[in-house]
Amino acid sequence: KQEVTQIPAALSVPEGENLVLNCSFTDSAIYNLQWFRQDPGKGLTSLLLIQSSQREQTSGRLNASLDKSSGRSTLYIAASQPGDSATYLCAVRYGYNTDKLIFGTGTRLQVFP
Amino acid sequence: NAGVMQNPRHLVRRRGQEARLRCSPMKGHSHVYWYRQLPEEGLKFMVYLQKENIIDESGMPKERFSAEFPKEGPSILRIQQVVRGDSAAYFCASSLTDRGRDTEAFFGQGTRLTVV
């Protein structure tokens, strides 16, 4: 069964810290992996998309890595800010013929001033 | 180019009523996906549709739920005889095509259904 797990479930840190959010998946035959941000009561914002052939992607203070063989991805947030407070979701796409995503349950991040 | 549009944003229904959720994909997108997010849970895939066709409905409950994506107009997710357990956020995503490395699904803001 294809499952995606995220740890920790919740994280509270002071502003300025560097953070690592973890995502693991049971089936390593992924097509790509995507990190999203979800603010309370809002939709999903795509942060980074990593193809199966890539090892990492960077956007501003965000860096996502992918290790297919171990079934893991990490999202690194540098110099965290209160505006980064949100739930971060990891999602895996397995099929070439579909954009269907398998989501993790998310990490709820709070960055306090 | 407007993003994926879902309406209504919030919907309140009494038990036993019908709920109709609409999703207009991004311009030019012909693939639509519906997901459900129960309170304190992650998003779960429900159904994948192309114009006039259901491609994958493996995540849809067997009863009371149906989805369509007609040739003209938005995709509709219909829930008949709603129960309290149907209360959730329902998200729609669309993509240009289902093939190739550059395809990506874009999400709407969701419809939050509350059954009272």
Side-chain angles (χ1 to χ4, degrees):
Chain A
K1 184 181 178 183
Q2 295 164 338
E3 293 183 345
V4 179
T5 305
Q6 290 186 249
I7 55 171
L11 188 60
S12 182
V13 300
E15 181 177 8
E17 281 205 3
N18 299 324
L19 308 171
V20 175
L21 308 182
N22 297 292
C23 172
S24 60
F25 41 95
T26 54
D27 184 346
S28 62
I30 71 171
Y31 193 78
N32 62 38
L33 183 145
Q34 200 165 355
W35 283 93
F36 293 88
R37 168 185 174 139
Q38 184 177 27
D39 291 279
K42 300 290 177 65
L44 277 68
T45 302
S46 179
L47 298 174
L48 290 165
L49 172 67
I50 312 178
Q51 303 293 351
S52 60
S53 59
Q54 298 174 320
R55 294 192 64 84
E56 66 177 340
Q57 281 281 3
T58 298
S59 176
R61 294 183 294 108
L62 304 179
N63 175 276
S65 66
L66 175 64
D67 184 344
K68 277 180 54 179
S69 60
S70 66
R72 292 180 186 172
S73 175
T74 60
L75 178 67
Y76 177 82
I77 304 176
S80 59
Q81 303 170 357
D84 294 330
S85 299
T87 296
Y88 290 81
L89 298 168
C90 167
V92 174
R93 173 183 167 187
Y94 280 100
Y96 173 78
N97 293 333
T98 175
D99 280 316
K100 169 184 171 181
L101 297 172
I102 309 295
F103 280 85
T105 50
T107 293
R108 192 179 309 132
L109 172 65
Q110 182 180 10
V111 181
F112 53 90
Chain B
N1 186 7
V4 178
M5 304 300 292
Q6 290 188 248
N7 67 82
R9 293 290 306 277
H10 300 275
L11 182 62
V12 180
R13 284 287 177 266
R14 296 186 182 279
R15 281 180 295 172
Q17 291 185 319
E18 177 180 285
R20 280 178 156 247
L21 288 63
R22 296 175 188 77
C23 170
S24 296
M26 288 180 68
K27 186 177 181 181
H29 285 193
S30 58
H31 300 253
V32 166
Y33 302 78
W34 285 93
Y35 293 82
R36 176 167 66 173
Q37 186 176 34
L38 293 168
E40 304 302 320
E41 294 189 16
L43 278 79
K44 303 291 185 188
F45 167 79
M46 298 181 74
V47 62
Y48 162 35
L49 309 104
Q50 295 178 19
K51 285 284 189 180
E52 301 184 277
N53 288 303
I54 297 175
I55 307 302
D56 179 356
E57 56 181 348
S58 57
M60 286 278 273
K62 293 290 185 277
E63 298 177 349
R64 302 186 298 109
F65 285 72
S66 63
E68 62 177 12
F69 189 17
K71 186 176 181 180
E72 301 291 338
S75 175
I76 305 289
L77 179 67
R78 182 190 303 173
I79 311 172
Q80 297 177 300
Q81 299 176 335
V82 295
V83 301
R84 289 232 171 99
D86 296 333
S87 296
Y90 292 82
F91 289 94
C92 170
S94 74
S95 65
L96 181 62
T97 176
D98 60 359
R99 297 173 186 270
R101 289 186 172 280
D102 295 327
T103 64
E104 182 178 348
F106 295 86
F107 282 78
Q109 293 293 301
T111 293
R112 277 145 188 87
L113 171 66
T114 302
V115 179
V116 297

